[in-house]
Amino acid sequence: MTKHTLRRWELALLLGVALAALLGVWLDRSQSALADQVIRLHVLANSDSEADQALKLKVRDSVLAAAEEYFQPGATREETEAVLRDHLWELASAGAETVAEEGYDYPVTASLVENYWFPTKEYTDFALPAGQYTALRIVIGEGGGQNWWCVVFPPLCLGSVSEPAAQTALSAGLSEDQVSLMTGEDEGYVVKFRAMELWEGFQHWLSEK
């Protein structure tokens, strides 16, 4: 009787592990598919001083304005990434010009980084789950201060975009399921988003151990 009970518990445990593994694979694929359609923006301040944090926002605005000049309506994610790579120097220069105008001499660098880990981030009408994304990183000076995150593709952070986030994302080629995941269209997608958030956060925690 005891052996039979142990075997049932062992079977239940194995089934639980197998289901968790399958769920993890599914969540990983969902996050990766979404990340493949997105380019994040990551602006790092020189420090956490009030002045440096205020400067960060001004640099953000100048970089977004400069990037907007190079974007073509209807461009794909791949085309947008290529444009950004071709104009990294100009984007850094736009940020550096703002820094100089504000009376500082911090250097500013711009780079495109693949597989950069972001925590979950919520905005006014959409959110992105934790996970690895391609990111346009703007680093001011030492880059030791709090950062600012947004999205340059789909162009959800550009000043000229007047459409709701959902429509902008659909126009950029994201699927309806991906847009629903970002906007929390219904309870089912909210649950999936939270599961993805927990799973990706757990994996990131393991990778740092």
Side-chain angles (χ1 to χ4, degrees):
M1 183 68 178
T2 302
K3 290 183 178 180
H4 181 64
T5 303
L6 286 175
R7 287 172 183 170
R8 286 194 304 180
W9 275 106
E10 288 169 354
L11 179 60
L13 179 61
L14 288 173
L15 286 173
V17 171
L19 288 173
L22 288 173
L23 176 62
V25 170
W26 177 63
L27 292 173
D28 269 342
R29 288 178 177 173
S30 296
Q31 191 280 328
S32 295
L34 177 60
D36 285 344
Q37 300 295 319
V38 172
I39 301 176
R40 307 288 294 266
L41 174 63
H42 191 200
V43 184
L44 289 85
N46 177 67
S47 76
D48 280 335
S49 73
E50 185 175 342
D52 281 348
Q53 286 297 309
L55 178 64
K56 172 191 70 179
L57 298 180
K58 293 179 179 179
V59 170
R60 170 203 66 186
D61 291 343
S62 64
V63 169
L64 283 172
E68 196 165 2
E69 294 181 8
Y70 305 121
F71 290 169
Q72 297 296 321
T76 65
R77 185 229 186 257
E78 291 73 19
E79 291 168 341
T80 299
E81 181 175 347
V83 166
L84 289 173
R85 288 192 185 280
D86 288 342
H87 294 91
L88 289 174
W89 185 88
E90 289 88 346
L91 296 177
S93 295
E97 184 176 340
T98 297
V99 169
E101 288 173 353
E102 295 298 316
Y104 299 91
D105 60 356
Y106 303 142
V108 177
T109 61
S111 61
L112 270 172
V113 181
E114 296 181 356
N115 298 321
Y116 190 84
W117 194 86
F118 286 85
T120 296
K121 182 64 177 176
E122 297 183 4
Y123 301 92
T124 302
D125 54 354
F126 73 97
L128 285 172
Q132 294 182 325
Y133 295 83
T134 296
L136 171 62
R137 298 187 76 226
I138 308 297
V139 181
I140 306 168
E142 297 295 326
Q146 295 182 46
N147 45 45
W148 185 88
W149 296 306
C150 205
V151 184
V152 289
F153 188 89
L156 300 175
C157 295
L158 299 186
S160 63
V161 176
S162 57
E163 295 178 331
Q167 186 58 50
T168 300
L170 285 170
S171 299
L174 274 71
S175 70
E176 290 186 3
D177 284 349
Q178 290 170 336
V179 172
S180 295
L181 182 68
M182 292 169 57
T183 58
E185 184 179 79
D186 59 41
E187 188 63 28
Y189 284 107
V190 171
V191 171
K192 180 179 178 182
F193 186 102
R194 295 308 177 195
M196 187 181 299
E197 176 184 31
L198 290 171
W199 176 253
E200 295 296 335
F202 175 66
Q203 289 196 106
H204 181 66
W205 176 79
L206 286 179
S207 70
E208 293 188 323
K209 295 302 179 180

